[in-house]
C-alpha cells in the first residue's frame, strides 16, 4: 500500500468499518476540541494576559496540525472515488464545502502570526471558533441531520415562506395603523419588522409593542401564527431525523448480518 493510500484510509472515515474514527482522525478531533476551548478561554482577559505566551504556543501547534491535515487530505484526494485526473480530484476537494472549511480554519489559525493589527487579530481569533464546523466530517449525527434537512427542504421552504408572509403582513399592518402614533417603533415597515419577528418567534422583548386595539389584534394574530409556524418545522425535522436514524439502524443490522453470514461460510 502506497503512502497516499494509507493516508486516504486513515483520513477518510468511509474507508473504515462502520465509519469509525482512525488514529489520525482522533488526533484531529481532540485538536479541534482543544483549539475551540483555547479560543473561548483566550477571550477572558484574566486568562489571556497572564498566559499569553502559552496561548500563542498552543495556537501555533493547533494551526500546524490543521495545516498538515489539510495538505494530507489534498495529497490523498486522488484516492477518492469518481472520474477525473489526480489534480482534478484534488481541486474538487479544495473547492468542496468541507475543503473550504478546512482552508478557512488553517487561515484563521495561522494568520495571527503574520498580522500585527490588533483589531483584525481580535476578529481572526473569534473566527477560530469556526473550526467546530470540521466536526461535520466526523460526526455521524451531524451528517444524518444534514441529510434529513435536505430530504425535507421543500417542506421547510414552505414553512419559511409562510413565516415570511406573516411577518411582512404584520409589519405592514402595524406601520399602517401605528406608524403615525409610534414613528420611532413603527414609522416604516423595516422598523416594524423588528417587532414582527420578535412577536412571531414568541420572544417578546417588550421594547416596542402596539397600543391601539387594532394594533393589538394584529399582534395577537402574529403571536398565535408564530406558535403554529414554530411547531411545524420542529415536527418536520424530528420526523425526518427519526426516519434517517431508522435507515441507519437497518443498514447497520444488514451489515452485521452479512458479516455473520460470511463468517459461517
Amino acid at each position: 500500500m502506497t503512502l497516499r493510500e494509507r493516508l486516504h484510509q486513515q483520513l477518510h472515515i468511509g474507508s473504515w468499518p462502520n465509519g469509525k474514527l482512525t488514529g489520525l482522525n482522533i488526533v484531529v478531533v481532540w485538536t479541534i476540541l482543544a483549539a475551540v476551548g483555547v479560543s473561548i478561554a483566550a477571550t477572558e482577559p484574566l486568562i489571556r494576559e497572564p498566559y499569553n505566551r502559552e496561548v500563542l504556543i498552543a495556537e501555533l501547534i493547533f494551526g500546524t496540525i490543521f495545516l498538515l491535515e489539510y495538505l494530507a487530505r489534498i495529497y490523498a484526494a486522488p484516492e477518492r472515488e469518481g472520474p477525473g485526473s489526480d489534480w482534478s480530484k484534488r481541486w474538487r476537494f479544495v473547492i468542496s464545502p468541507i475543503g473550504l472549511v478546512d482552508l478557512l480554519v488553517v487561515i484563521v489559525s495561522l494568520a495571527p502570526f503574520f498580522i500585527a493589527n490588533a483589531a483584525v487579530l481580535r476578529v481572526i481569533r473569534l473566527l477560530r471558533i469556526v473550526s467546530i464546523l470540521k466536526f461535520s466530517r466526523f460526526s455521524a449525527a451531524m451528517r444524518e441531520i444534514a441529510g434529513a434537512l435536505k430530504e425535507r427542504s421543500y417542506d421547510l421552504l414552505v414553512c419559511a415562506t409562510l413565516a415570511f408572509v406573516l411577518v411582512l403582513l404584520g409589519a405592514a399592518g402595524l406601520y399602517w395603523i401605528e406608524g403615525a402614533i409610534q414613528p420611532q417603533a413603527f414609522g416604516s415597515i423595516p422598523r416594524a419588522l423588528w417587532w414582527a419577528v420578535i412577536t412571531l418567534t414568541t420572544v417578546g422583548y417588550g421594547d416596542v409593542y402596539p397600543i391601539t386595539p387594532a394594533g393589538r389584534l394584529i399582534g395577537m394574530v402574529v403571536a398565535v401564527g408564530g406558535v403554529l409556524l414554530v411547531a411545524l418545522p420542529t415536527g418536520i425535522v424530528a420526523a425526518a431525523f427519526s426516519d434517517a436514524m431508522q435507515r441507519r439502524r437497518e443498514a447497520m443490522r444488514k451489515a452485521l448480518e452479512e458479516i455473520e453470514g460470511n463468517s459461517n461460510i
Side-chain angles (χ1 to χ4, degrees), residues 2 11 29 34 66 80 84 105 153 175 189 205-206 213 222 252 254:
T2 64
L11 293 171
V29 167
F66 290 144
R80 299 170 67 91
V105 170
S153 59
Y175 164 68
I189 291 180
Y205 286 127
V222 174
M252 293 180 65
K254 291 180 180 179

Side-chain angles (χ1 to χ4, degrees), residues 138-169:
F138 307 109
S139 173
M142 293 182 69
R143 293 196 298 272
E144 295 295 347
I145 290 174
L149 292 176
K150 186 176 181 180
E151 287 181 358
R152 303 300 176 93
S153 59
Y154 178 77
D155 300 341
L156 294 174
L157 179 61
V158 171
C159 293
T161 302
L162 291 175
F164 175 76
V165 171
L166 184 57
V167 164
L168 191 60
L169 290 177

Side-chain angles (χ1 to χ4, degrees), residues 174 178-188 191 208-212:
L174 263 295
E178 299 200 6
I181 302 174
Q182 300 190 74
Q184 192 63 31
F186 305 110
S188 67
R191 292 183 185 183
V208 293
Y209 50 87
I211 58 177
T212 63

Side-chain angles (χ1 to χ4, degrees), residues 23-36:
L24 286 179
N25 280 324
I26 290 175
V27 171
V28 175
V29 167
W30 281 107
T31 302
I32 294 171
L33 291 174
V36 172

Side-chain angles (χ1 to χ4, degrees), residues 6 23 50 63 82 84-85 175 205 229 263:
R6 289 181 181 276
S85 63
Y175 164 68
Y205 286 127
L229 287 175
S263 62

Side-chain angles (χ1 to χ4, degrees), residues 185-208:
F186 305 110
S188 67
I189 291 180
R191 292 183 185 183
L193 279 174
W194 165 253
W195 167 86
V197 171
I198 296 305
T199 304
L200 181 75
T201 55
T202 68
V203 174
Y205 286 127
D207 54 343
V208 293

